[in-house]
Amino acid sequence: MAAEIARLRPTSISTMHRSFSAVARGRARLRRSSLFVPAGRMDKFLPKALASSADSIILDLEDSVAARDKDDARRAVGAWLASRPDVGGKEVVVRVNGAAAIEDLAAVLGEGAWPDALMVPKVASAACLEGFDALVRACEANAGRAAGEGVGVVAIATEVPAGALNLPAIAAGPRVVAATWGAEDIAVELGSTRKYVETDGVKSYAPLFEHLRIQTLLACKAAGVQALDGVYTDVRDAAGLRAEAGDAAAMGFDGKMCLHPDQLAPTHAAFAVPAAARARAARVVAALGDGEAGAALVDGAMVDRPHLLAARRLLDRAAAIDAAGGAAAPEAAPRPVRGLYLEDLNVGRVVEHALTRTVTETDNVLATTLSLNPAQLHLDHDAAANRAAKESEIPNFKGSDLGRFPLVSADFWTSDHLSERSRSMDAFSGTRARGTLMLKRT
């Protein structure tokens, strides 16, 4: 069949790919999680993927399959698709071996069911996708399908340097329903040796990779397609995954690629819509209606058309999650403070810290005090020794101007909630509060 695809390749490229009904549907579907399944081990991993909560499963013919096993993997994927499997509403994606992978297309775009989308790696330009579209159109013609009743494309656009420079055109390419980014391949291409950086114990992407991540997001949103965050490769690091997925959701990504079923629950939690957010969005919609009202006051804040559009989008996403069997996210504890000034903290903010850590810096003392952590707050002994007079007056005293006894927990207050029991932070050396933030002993 591969020869037939090559012979049937159209000589002209349709410019009507944006109107394809299947592609339009693909842009609208829920993709909180896309779980990779090695095509060379489908017997072991596919049943687990189908039984999982993944929104999409990606049958991988590329990196997870050794060169000697490619033909067997193609046949396995083709046979499974030909059996017209019941996937329970999941999206089925096949990652092929590049934009010219005729053998892959011949195997997976034959008789029986077709995948919903094809993931194309190492896309260098829109021209690559135009050539790929021609191959898929040839498959459609060979199968007697109308153009556009076939499959969409999920493009991986940052695996080669040229792709990183052509992100807007790639995201707007033929059949594209979503795009994602990857760090591993381009790191090899560039000779980069550092994917993450760590500052004060907080891990984040190195500037190069954060740039690629942001540019992928912007290109997708400009093109009107979904933006999917790349994989988190350490499948044992649940905390790191939660932080990265949370960042992705807050940035505006529509979902995240996953390597292991254990990564699904944290990813879905990150992309869930909390009940409070749903309720506020409903209030915004109720206040602004069709948008003719111009502006309105909701929960003490002025809202207008951008807020209305965001609220409608959030409610649509919440409805899609509900339809997929999800639920409103529980109200998560506020995330750790990462270099914020004290003035940036909100009333009730929970600040995490390591258990039993001895702290000496002002910010760490305040963060520990505000954490509501069951571990007692204690200062470095040298700091306590500077309070020799109080130590002589109070047995076992280890404290500072924050209080006379080890603190188990404390409430966080602003200057609007002063009371006689609140202590000004001005007295503590080096504080940034300048009296605007207060602690109340509990």
Side-chain angles (χ1 to χ4, degrees):
M1 183 178 172
E4 294 178 358
I5 295 174
R7 176 176 57 81
L8 290 170
R9 181 185 306 198
T11 57
S12 62
I13 304 299
S14 169
T15 60
M16 299 300 293
H17 59 269
R18 285 311 214 195
S19 65
F20 286 173
S21 59
V23 173
R25 290 193 300 273
R27 293 190 185 119
R29 74 182 303 151
L30 186 67
R31 291 188 185 86
R32 296 166 299 174
S33 58
S34 298
L35 178 63
F36 280 97
V37 178
R41 298 293 306 279
M42 287 176 58
D43 56 334
K44 177 178 180 180
F45 295 110
L46 182 56
K48 297 178 181 179
L50 291 173
S52 75
S53 61
D55 295 326
S56 300
I57 58 172
I58 304 171
L59 306 179
D60 184 22
L61 289 170
E62 195 208 15
D63 287 345
S64 69
V65 180
R68 65 179 181 275
D69 298 326
K70 295 285 186 183
D71 287 339
D72 290 340
R74 292 186 189 106
R75 284 191 289 268
V77 172
W80 181 73
L81 290 170
S83 70
R84 299 182 182 274
D86 179 5
V87 296
K90 296 184 188 300
E91 180 184 40
V92 176
V93 181
V94 176
R95 179 160 73 165
V96 297
N97 287 277
I102 294 178
E103 295 83 0
D104 294 346
L105 296 182
V108 304
L109 301 183
E111 298 180 359
W114 280 22
D116 298 293
L118 296 166
M119 177 172 281
V120 185
K122 300 179 177 64
V123 179
S125 66
C128 293
L129 293 181
E130 290 172 351
F132 187 75
D133 175 56
L135 293 176
V136 176
R137 286 166 61 83
C139 292
E140 290 170 337
N142 189 63
R145 294 175 178 244
E149 292 183 0
V151 294
V153 163
V154 178
I156 310 180
T158 65
E159 292 185 316
V160 293
L165 296 175
N166 290 311
L167 278 167
I170 291 171
R175 298 180 184 267
V176 174
V177 297
T180 186
W181 74 284
E184 311 305 325
D185 288 275
I186 198 168
V188 174
E189 293 273 349
L190 298 176
S192 301
T193 59
R194 181 181 298 173
K195 181 178 176 181
Y196 292 102
V197 293
E198 189 168 313
T199 304
D200 296 331
V202 177
K203 185 171 72 171
S204 60
Y205 280 111
L208 167 65
F209 299 108
E210 187 65 16
H211 171 78
L212 296 176
R213 191 187 194 196
I214 293 170
Q215 292 302 310
T216 300
L217 174 65
L218 292 173
C220 288
K221 298 303 180 178
V225 302
Q226 290 192 18
L228 305 179
D229 196 28
V231 298
Y232 190 77
T233 56
D234 189 346
V235 298
R236 296 170 297 179
D237 182 11
L241 171 64
R242 284 193 297 270
E244 186 169 296
D247 284 340
M251 290 170 67
F253 280 94
D254 297 286
K256 188 169 181 64
M257 317 300 288
C258 297
L259 295 173
H260 192 279
D262 287 349
Q263 294 183 320
L264 296 174
T267 298
H268 286 184
F271 285 93
V273 182
R278 296 183 185 215
R280 187 178 191 280
R283 292 194 294 273
V284 170
V285 172
L288 294 175
D290 58 6
E292 295 298 326
L297 199 64
V298 175
D299 300 339
M302 192 64 67
V303 295
D304 52 17
R305 181 169 176 76
H307 301 96
L308 175 61
L309 297 177
R312 287 174 176 169
R313 187 179 300 115
L314 184 145
L315 291 174
D316 287 344
R317 182 173 182 83
I321 292 173
D322 291 344
E331 296 304 317
R335 300 182 59 197
V337 172
R338 298 182 178 182
L340 295 179
Y341 284 91
L342 292 174
E343 290 87 343
D344 296 325
L345 300 177
N346 299 319
V347 174
R349 185 80 177 248
V350 176
V351 183
E352 295 180 357
H353 79 104
L355 289 173
T356 70
R357 174 177 291 173
T358 296
V359 292
T360 57
E361 296 180 4
T362 299
D363 290 346
N364 286 339
V365 171
L366 296 176
T368 303
T369 304
L370 301 177
S371 69
L372 306 183
N373 195 298
Q376 289 186 339
L377 168 70
H378 58 290
L379 296 176
D380 183 278
H381 184 73
D382 292 337
N386 293 331
R387 312 294 298 180
K390 287 188 177 180
E391 286 185 20
S392 63
E393 298 171 2
I394 304 173
N396 300 319
F397 171 75
K398 288 185 179 180
S400 69
D401 290 329
L402 289 175
R404 298 190 304 168
F405 301 103
L407 300 179
V408 175
S409 62
D411 289 333
F412 189 45
W413 293 74
T414 68
S415 56
D416 294 333
H417 300 91
L418 295 178
S419 71
E420 293 181 358
R421 290 177 295 177
S422 299
R423 298 177 59 90
S424 171
M425 304 308 300
D426 272 338
F428 193 81
S429 174
T431 181
R432 296 168 177 160
R434 298 302 177 196
T436 61
L437 301 179
M438 304 296 160
L439 292 176
K440 179 183 175 184
R441 293 294 301 274
T442 58

